[in-house]
Amino acid sequence: CVAINAQANFGLTAGYTNNKLKVDDAGDSESDNFSGFNIGAFVDLSVSDSFSIQPELVYSASSYKEQGFKFEYNLISVNAMAKYHVSEAFSLMAGPQIGFASGNLADDLDDLLGDDFTKMNLQLAIGAAFNVTDNIFIQARYGIQLNDHIKASEVDSSVNTLSIGAGYRF
């Protein structure tokens, strides 16, 4: 029998989000950036002095305007970041981010494509965090979408995400 003495820290995060939408239709590639914000809650479960697991629930809202139209792309994500603590102040993180898209862009594509569209955004994220104090930290991460939103074989579409923000541990 192995006992793990995990310490749990709860907290909140908020920050800037930039989503890069890329669509490649038979060699014709286009991309757009959606900027916005994110807000979330997490629990940091210490497994050892140098390793922890950080499950998160995060909401991000982003939009852009083009030719008088406003496109919105929002995600509700369930994340599970593995964190390696390089020092007391600095950590590296990586893990899956599973998001569910909403907003008029996702809704319009779902109406247009039906079964050939998925609102799920499965990403692999990597990043780093720096503890400013025992309670306050800053972090940055980049998520690379592993699945396509559009399931048609001739079209590849993905949304990669850059998040920069701050957090507070209780």
Side-chain angles (χ1 to χ4, degrees):
C1 183
V2 175
I4 296 176
N5 186 14
Q7 179 183 356
N9 291 304
F10 296 89
L12 300 173
T13 61
Y16 168 79
T17 296
N18 182 280
N19 292 311
K20 182 172 182 141
L21 169 66
K22 182 179 177 190
V23 178
D24 188 354
D25 186 2
D28 185 22
S29 183
E30 294 182 31
S31 65
D32 287 302
N33 288 305
F34 295 69
S35 294
F37 71 92
N38 64 69
I39 187 166
F42 67 90
V43 59
D44 193 340
L45 303 168
S46 295
V47 177
S48 70
D49 288 341
S50 61
F51 185 74
S52 65
I53 303 293
Q54 183 170 296
E56 305 170 335
L57 181 61
V58 178
Y59 171 75
S60 64
S62 57
S63 64
Y64 82 101
K65 291 182 182 180
E66 181 178 298
Q67 300 176 354
F69 293 103
K70 182 177 180 182
F71 297 95
E72 297 172 346
Y73 183 81
N74 307 320
L75 283 174
I76 296 175
S77 299
V78 178
N79 309 331
M81 303 304 291
K83 292 175 65 178
Y84 174 69
H85 304 279
V86 178
S87 67
E88 282 189 32
F90 183 72
S91 60
L92 300 173
M93 62 181 98
Q97 298 185 145
I98 303 170
F100 300 94
S102 65
N104 67 357
L105 179 62
D107 293 342
D108 290 348
L109 287 172
D110 190 35
D111 290 343
L112 179 66
L113 299 172
D115 289 341
D116 286 334
F117 179 77
T118 180
K119 290 187 175 187
M120 187 178 79
N121 180 312
L122 175 61
Q123 294 185 341
L124 175 61
I126 57 171
F130 180 77
N131 294 331
V132 178
T133 69
D134 286 342
N135 299 95
I136 298 171
F137 63 93
I138 56 175
Q139 65 179 357
R141 71 175 74 157
Y142 189 75
I144 300 166
Q145 187 170 356
L146 302 175
N147 66 319
D148 285 334
H149 277 305
I150 299 173
K151 298 177 190 175
S153 61
E154 67 276 0
V155 178
D156 292 324
S157 71
S158 61
V159 177
N160 296 338
T161 305
L162 172 67
S163 299
I164 301 169
Y168 184 82
R169 279 184 214 89
F170 297 103

Short mmCIF file of all heavy atoms in Angstrom, two decimals, residues 4-53:
data_model
loop_
_atom_site.label_atom_id
_atom_site.label_comp_id
_atom_site.label_asym_id
_atom_site.label_seq_id
_atom_site.Cartn_x
_atom_site.Cartn_y
_atom_site.Cartn_z
N ILE A 4 0.03 8.65 -0.49
CA ILE A 4 0.49 9.92 -1.06
C ILE A 4 -0.06 11.04 -0.20
O ILE A 4 -1.26 11.12 0.03
CB ILE A 4 0.02 10.09 -2.52
CG1 ILE A 4 0.65 9.01 -3.39
CG2 ILE A 4 0.36 11.48 -3.03
CD1 ILE A 4 0.18 9.04 -4.82
N ASN A 5 0.82 11.88 0.30
CA ASN A 5 0.42 13.01 1.12
C ASN A 5 0.35 14.25 0.23
O ASN A 5 1.29 15.00 0.14
CB ASN A 5 1.41 13.21 2.28
CG ASN A 5 0.95 14.28 3.24
OD1 ASN A 5 -0.21 14.70 3.20
ND2 ASN A 5 1.85 14.71 4.10
N ALA A 6 -0.78 14.42 -0.44
CA ALA A 6 -0.93 15.53 -1.37
C ALA A 6 -1.47 16.77 -0.66
O ALA A 6 -2.41 16.69 0.10
CB ALA A 6 -1.85 15.14 -2.51
N GLN A 7 -0.83 17.90 -0.94
CA GLN A 7 -1.31 19.17 -0.43
C GLN A 7 -2.08 19.86 -1.55
O GLN A 7 -1.62 19.91 -2.68
CB GLN A 7 -0.13 20.04 0.01
CG GLN A 7 -0.56 21.39 0.54
CD GLN A 7 0.63 22.26 0.90
OE1 GLN A 7 1.78 21.82 0.82
NE2 GLN A 7 0.36 23.48 1.29
N ALA A 8 -3.26 20.38 -1.23
CA ALA A 8 -4.10 21.02 -2.24
C ALA A 8 -4.15 22.52 -2.03
O ALA A 8 -4.38 23.00 -0.92
CB ALA A 8 -5.51 20.44 -2.19
N ASN A 9 -3.92 23.28 -3.10
CA ASN A 9 -4.07 24.72 -3.10
C ASN A 9 -5.12 25.08 -4.14
O ASN A 9 -5.02 24.66 -5.29
CB ASN A 9 -2.75 25.42 -3.47
CG ASN A 9 -1.70 25.26 -2.40
OD1 ASN A 9 -1.92 25.60 -1.26
ND2 ASN A 9 -0.55 24.72 -2.79
N PHE A 10 -6.11 25.86 -3.73
CA PHE A 10 -7.15 26.31 -4.64
C PHE A 10 -6.84 27.71 -5.10
O PHE A 10 -6.19 28.48 -4.39
CB PHE A 10 -8.52 26.28 -3.95
CG PHE A 10 -8.95 24.90 -3.55
CD1 PHE A 10 -8.61 24.39 -2.31
CD2 PHE A 10 -9.68 24.11 -4.42
CE1 PHE A 10 -8.98 23.11 -1.94
CE2 PHE A 10 -10.06 22.84 -4.06
CZ PHE A 10 -9.71 22.34 -2.81
N GLY A 11 -7.34 28.09 -6.29
CA GLY A 11 -7.08 29.43 -6.74
C GLY A 11 -7.90 29.83 -7.96
O GLY A 11 -8.69 29.05 -8.49
N LEU A 12 -7.67 31.07 -8.37
CA LEU A 12 -8.35 31.66 -9.52
C LEU A 12 -7.31 32.23 -10.48
O LEU A 12 -6.24 32.66 -10.04
CB LEU A 12 -9.28 32.79 -9.07
CG LEU A 12 -10.39 32.40 -8.10
CD1 LEU A 12 -11.12 33.64 -7.61
CD2 LEU A 12 -11.37 31.43 -8.76
N THR A 13 -7.64 32.23 -11.76
CA THR A 13 -6.76 32.80 -12.78
C THR A 13 -7.57 33.72 -13.69
O THR A 13 -8.78 33.55 -13.84
CB THR A 13 -6.09 31.72 -13.65
OG1 THR A 13 -7.10 30.96 -14.31
CG2 THR A 13 -5.21 30.80 -12.82
N ALA A 14 -6.88 34.64 -14.31
CA ALA A 14 -7.49 35.52 -15.31
C ALA A 14 -6.38 36.04 -16.21
O ALA A 14 -5.23 36.14 -15.79
CB ALA A 14 -8.23 36.68 -14.66
N GLY A 15 -6.75 36.37 -17.45
CA GLY A 15 -5.72 36.90 -18.34
C GLY A 15 -6.19 37.11 -19.75
O GLY A 15 -7.39 37.11 -20.05
N TYR A 16 -5.22 37.27 -20.63
CA TYR A 16 -5.40 37.54 -22.05
C TYR A 16 -5.35 36.22 -22.82
O TYR A 16 -4.54 35.34 -22.51
CB TYR A 16 -4.29 38.47 -22.53
CG TYR A 16 -4.17 38.60 -24.03
CD1 TYR A 16 -5.04 39.42 -24.73
CD2 TYR A 16 -3.20 37.90 -24.73
CE1 TYR A 16 -4.95 39.54 -26.11
CE2 TYR A 16 -3.09 38.01 -26.11
CZ TYR A 16 -3.97 38.85 -26.79
OH TYR A 16 -3.87 38.95 -28.16
N THR A 17 -6.22 36.08 -23.81
CA THR A 17 -6.24 34.91 -24.69
C THR A 17 -6.16 35.36 -26.14
O THR A 17 -6.83 36.32 -26.53
CB THR A 17 -7.53 34.09 -24.49
OG1 THR A 17 -7.56 33.57 -23.17
CG2 THR A 17 -7.61 32.93 -25.46
N ASN A 18 -5.35 34.66 -26.92
CA ASN A 18 -5.33 34.87 -28.36
C ASN A 18 -5.51 33.51 -29.01
O ASN A 18 -4.71 32.61 -28.81
CB ASN A 18 -4.02 35.52 -28.81
CG ASN A 18 -4.03 35.79 -30.30
OD1 ASN A 18 -3.79 34.89 -31.10
ND2 ASN A 18 -4.31 37.02 -30.67
N ASN A 19 -6.59 33.37 -29.78
CA ASN A 19 -6.86 32.14 -30.51
C ASN A 19 -6.53 32.36 -31.97
O ASN A 19 -6.97 33.33 -32.58
CB ASN A 19 -8.34 31.76 -30.40
CG ASN A 19 -8.72 31.35 -29.00
OD1 ASN A 19 -8.05 30.53 -28.39
ND2 ASN A 19 -9.79 31.91 -28.50
N LYS A 20 -5.73 31.47 -32.54
CA LYS A 20 -5.39 31.55 -33.97
C LYS A 20 -6.15 30.45 -34.70
O LYS A 20 -5.88 29.27 -34.53
CB LYS A 20 -3.89 31.39 -34.18
CG LYS A 20 -3.51 31.53 -35.64
CD LYS A 20 -2.03 31.56 -35.83
CE LYS A 20 -1.75 31.75 -37.30
NZ LYS A 20 -0.65 32.63 -37.54
N LEU A 21 -7.11 30.88 -35.52
CA LEU A 21 -7.89 29.97 -36.34
C LEU A 21 -7.18 29.78 -37.66
O LEU A 21 -6.87 30.75 -38.35
CB LEU A 21 -9.29 30.55 -36.58
CG LEU A 21 -10.16 29.85 -37.63
CD1 LEU A 21 -10.51 28.44 -37.19
CD2 LEU A 21 -11.41 30.66 -37.91
N LYS A 22 -6.92 28.53 -38.02
CA LYS A 22 -6.28 28.22 -39.29
C LYS A 22 -7.18 27.25 -40.05
O LYS A 22 -7.61 26.24 -39.51
CB LYS A 22 -4.90 27.59 -39.07
CG LYS A 22 -4.18 27.29 -40.37
CD LYS A 22 -2.83 26.69 -40.13
CE LYS A 22 -2.19 26.34 -41.46
NZ LYS A 22 -0.99 25.54 -41.32
N VAL A 23 -7.46 27.61 -41.30
CA VAL A 23 -8.26 26.75 -42.18
C VAL A 23 -7.45 26.50 -43.44
O VAL A 23 -7.02 27.44 -44.11
CB VAL A 23 -9.62 27.41 -42.53
CG1 VAL A 23 -10.40 26.51 -43.48
CG2 VAL A 23 -10.42 27.68 -41.27
N ASP A 24 -7.23 25.23 -43.75
CA ASP A 24 -6.51 24.83 -44.96
C ASP A 24 -7.47 24.00 -45.80
O ASP A 24 -7.81 22.87 -45.45
CB ASP A 24 -5.27 24.03 -44.59
CG ASP A 24 -4.37 23.75 -45.78
OD1 ASP A 24 -4.76 24.07 -46.92
OD2 ASP A 24 -3.28 23.20 -45.57
N ASP A 25 -7.91 24.57 -46.91
CA ASP A 25 -8.87 23.91 -47.79
C ASP A 25 -8.16 23.56 -49.10
O ASP A 25 -8.02 24.39 -49.99
CB ASP A 25 -10.06 24.84 -48.06
CG ASP A 25 -11.16 24.18 -48.87
OD1 ASP A 25 -11.04 22.99 -49.19
OD2 ASP A 25 -12.15 24.87 -49.17
N ALA A 26 -7.69 22.32 -49.17
CA ALA A 26 -7.01 21.80 -50.37
C ALA A 26 -5.87 22.71 -50.82
O ALA A 26 -5.76 23.09 -51.98
CB ALA A 26 -8.01 21.58 -51.49
N GLY A 27 -5.02 23.11 -49.88
CA GLY A 27 -3.86 23.92 -50.20
C GLY A 27 -4.08 25.41 -50.10
O GLY A 27 -3.14 26.19 -50.10
N ASP A 28 -5.33 25.87 -50.00
CA ASP A 28 -5.64 27.29 -49.84
C ASP A 28 -5.77 27.57 -48.34
O ASP A 28 -6.75 27.20 -47.71
CB ASP A 28 -6.95 27.62 -50.57
CG ASP A 28 -7.27 29.10 -50.54
OD1 ASP A 28 -6.34 29.91 -50.35
OD2 ASP A 28 -8.46 29.45 -50.69
N SER A 29 -4.75 28.19 -47.77
CA SER A 29 -4.68 28.37 -46.32
C SER A 29 -5.02 29.80 -45.91
O SER A 29 -4.55 30.76 -46.53
CB SER A 29 -3.28 28.01 -45.84
OG SER A 29 -3.21 28.09 -44.45
N GLU A 30 -5.85 29.94 -44.88
CA GLU A 30 -6.19 31.23 -44.29
C GLU A 30 -6.08 31.12 -42.79
O GLU A 30 -6.28 30.05 -42.22
CB GLU A 30 -7.63 31.62 -44.64
CG GLU A 30 -7.90 31.88 -46.09
CD GLU A 30 -9.35 32.31 -46.33
OE1 GLU A 30 -9.93 32.94 -45.43
OE2 GLU A 30 -9.86 31.99 -47.40
N SER A 31 -5.78 32.26 -42.14
CA SER A 31 -5.77 32.26 -40.69
C SER A 31 -6.28 33.61 -40.18
O SER A 31 -6.14 34.63 -40.84
CB SER A 31 -4.39 31.96 -40.14
OG SER A 31 -3.48 32.97 -40.47
N ASP A 32 -6.88 33.58 -39.00
CA ASP A 32 -7.39 34.77 -38.33
C ASP A 32 -7.07 34.64 -36.85
O ASP A 32 -7.00 33.53 -36.32
CB ASP A 32 -8.91 34.90 -38.51
CG ASP A 32 -9.29 35.32 -39.91
OD1 ASP A 32 -8.82 36.39 -40.34
OD2 ASP A 32 -10.05 34.58 -40.56
N ASN A 33 -6.89 35.78 -36.19
CA ASN A 33 -6.65 35.81 -34.75
C ASN A 33 -7.85 36.38 -34.03
O ASN A 33 -8.41 37.39 -34.45
CB ASN A 33 -5.42 36.66 -34.42
CG ASN A 33 -4.14 35.97 -34.82
OD1 ASN A 33 -3.89 34.85 -34.42
ND2 ASN A 33 -3.35 36.63 -35.64
N PHE A 34 -8.26 35.72 -32.95
CA PHE A 34 -9.33 36.17 -32.09
C PHE A 34 -8.70 36.52 -30.75
O PHE A 34 -8.06 35.68 -30.13
CB PHE A 34 -10.32 35.04 -31.82
CG PHE A 34 -11.07 34.53 -33.01
CD1 PHE A 34 -10.45 33.81 -34.01
CD2 PHE A 34 -12.43 34.74 -33.10
CE1 PHE A 34 -11.15 33.32 -35.09
CE2 PHE A 34 -13.15 34.26 -34.17
CZ PHE A 34 -12.52 33.54 -35.17
N SER A 35 -8.87 37.74 -30.28
CA SER A 35 -8.31 38.15 -28.98
C SER A 35 -9.43 38.30 -27.97
O SER A 35 -10.55 38.66 -28.32
CB SER A 35 -7.56 39.47 -29.11
OG SER A 35 -6.43 39.30 -29.92
N GLY A 36 -9.09 38.06 -26.71
CA GLY A 36 -10.09 38.18 -25.66
C GLY A 36 -9.49 37.94 -24.29
O GLY A 36 -8.32 38.23 -24.04
N PHE A 37 -10.29 37.36 -23.42
CA PHE A 37 -9.87 37.15 -22.03
C PHE A 37 -10.19 35.73 -21.60
O PHE A 37 -10.96 35.02 -22.26
CB PHE A 37 -10.59 38.15 -21.10
CG PHE A 37 -12.05 37.87 -20.93
CD1 PHE A 37 -12.51 37.06 -19.90
CD2 PHE A 37 -12.99 38.38 -21.82
CE1 PHE A 37 -13.86 36.78 -19.75
CE2 PHE A 37 -14.33 38.12 -21.69
CZ PHE A 37 -14.78 37.31 -20.64
N ASN A 38 -9.60 35.32 -20.49
CA ASN A 38 -9.92 34.04 -19.87
C ASN A 38 -10.04 34.22 -18.37
O ASN A 38 -9.43 35.12 -17.79
CB ASN A 38 -8.89 32.96 -20.22
CG ASN A 38 -7.51 33.28 -19.68
OD1 ASN A 38 -7.29 33.26 -18.48
ND2 ASN A 38 -6.59 33.58 -20.58
N ILE A 39 -10.84 33.38 -17.76
CA ILE A 39 -11.01 33.38 -16.30
C ILE A 39 -11.25 31.93 -15.89
O ILE A 39 -11.91 31.17 -16.62
CB ILE A 39 -12.17 34.30 -15.86
CG1 ILE A 39 -12.21 34.41 -14.35
CG2 ILE A 39 -13.49 33.88 -16.46
CD1 ILE A 39 -13.09 35.54 -13.84
N GLY A 40 -10.67 31.54 -14.77
CA GLY A 40 -10.81 30.14 -14.39
C GLY A 40 -10.55 29.88 -12.92
O GLY A 40 -10.18 30.78 -12.15
N ALA A 41 -10.74 28.62 -12.55
CA ALA A 41 -10.47 28.15 -11.20
C ALA A 41 -9.64 26.87 -11.31
O ALA A 41 -9.73 26.14 -12.29
CB ALA A 41 -11.78 27.86 -10.47
N PHE A 42 -8.83 26.63 -10.29
CA PHE A 42 -7.96 25.45 -10.32
C PHE A 42 -7.75 24.93 -8.91
O PHE A 42 -8.02 25.61 -7.92
CB PHE A 42 -6.59 25.79 -10.94
CG PHE A 42 -5.77 26.74 -10.11
CD1 PHE A 42 -4.88 26.25 -9.15
CD2 PHE A 42 -5.86 28.10 -10.29
CE1 PHE A 42 -4.13 27.12 -8.38
CE2 PHE A 42 -5.11 28.98 -9.54
CZ PHE A 42 -4.24 28.48 -8.57
N VAL A 43 -7.25 23.72 -8.86
CA VAL A 43 -6.73 23.13 -7.63
C VAL A 43 -5.35 22.57 -7.98
O VAL A 43 -5.19 21.87 -8.97
CB VAL A 43 -7.66 22.07 -7.02
CG1 VAL A 43 -7.92 20.93 -7.97
CG2 VAL A 43 -7.12 21.56 -5.69
N ASP A 44 -4.34 22.95 -7.21
CA ASP A 44 -2.97 22.50 -7.44
C ASP A 44 -2.68 21.42 -6.40
O ASP A 44 -2.64 21.70 -5.21
CB ASP A 44 -1.99 23.67 -7.31
CG ASP A 44 -0.61 23.33 -7.82
OD1 ASP A 44 -0.27 22.13 -7.93
OD2 ASP A 44 0.15 24.27 -8.12
N LEU A 45 -2.51 20.19 -6.87
CA LEU A 45 -2.29 19.04 -5.99
C LEU A 45 -0.82 18.66 -6.00
O LEU A 45 -0.32 18.10 -6.97
CB LEU A 45 -3.14 17.85 -6.46
CG LEU A 45 -4.64 18.10 -6.56
CD1 LEU A 45 -5.33 16.97 -7.30
CD2 LEU A 45 -5.23 18.28 -5.17
N SER A 46 -0.12 18.98 -4.92
CA SER A 46 1.30 18.65 -4.80
C SER A 46 1.48 17.16 -4.58
O SER A 46 0.91 16.60 -3.64
CB SER A 46 1.94 19.42 -3.65
OG SER A 46 1.92 20.79 -3.91
N VAL A 47 2.26 16.54 -5.44
CA VAL A 47 2.57 15.13 -5.30
C VAL A 47 3.92 14.96 -4.60
O VAL A 47 4.12 14.05 -3.82
CB VAL A 47 2.55 14.44 -6.68
CG1 VAL A 47 2.94 12.98 -6.57
CG2 VAL A 47 1.18 14.58 -7.32
N SER A 48 4.85 15.90 -4.91
CA SER A 48 6.16 15.91 -4.26
C SER A 48 6.65 17.36 -4.26
O SER A 48 5.95 18.26 -4.72
CB SER A 48 7.15 15.01 -5.01
OG SER A 48 7.48 15.57 -6.26
N ASP A 49 7.86 17.58 -3.76
CA ASP A 49 8.41 18.94 -3.76
C ASP A 49 8.60 19.49 -5.17
O ASP A 49 8.56 20.69 -5.37
CB ASP A 49 9.76 18.97 -3.03
CG ASP A 49 9.60 18.80 -1.53
OD1 ASP A 49 8.48 19.02 -1.02
OD2 ASP A 49 10.60 18.46 -0.88
N SER A 50 8.79 18.61 -6.14
CA SER A 50 9.09 19.09 -7.49
C SER A 50 8.00 18.79 -8.53
O SER A 50 8.16 19.13 -9.70
CB SER A 50 10.42 18.51 -7.97
OG SER A 50 10.34 17.10 -8.00
N PHE A 51 6.88 18.18 -8.10
CA PHE A 51 5.86 17.79 -9.07
C PHE A 51 4.47 18.00 -8.50
O PHE A 51 4.20 17.69 -7.35
CB PHE A 51 6.05 16.32 -9.45
CG PHE A 51 5.13 15.85 -10.53
CD1 PHE A 51 5.31 16.22 -11.85
CD2 PHE A 51 4.05 15.04 -10.22
CE1 PHE A 51 4.45 15.78 -12.85
CE2 PHE A 51 3.19 14.59 -11.20
CZ PHE A 51 3.39 14.97 -12.53
N SER A 52 3.56 18.54 -9.34
CA SER A 52 2.16 18.67 -8.96
C SER A 52 1.27 18.51 -10.19
O SER A 52 1.72 18.62 -11.32
CB SER A 52 1.89 20.01 -8.27
OG SER A 52 2.11 21.09 -9.15
N ILE A 53 0.01 18.24 -9.93
CA ILE A 53 -1.02 18.14 -10.96
C ILE A 53 -2.00 19.28 -10.71
O ILE A 53 -2.42 19.51 -9.58
CB ILE A 53 -1.77 16.79 -10.89
CG1 ILE A 53 -0.80 15.62 -11.00
CG2 ILE A 53 -2.87 16.72 -11.93
CD1 ILE A 53 -0.13 15.48 -12.34
#
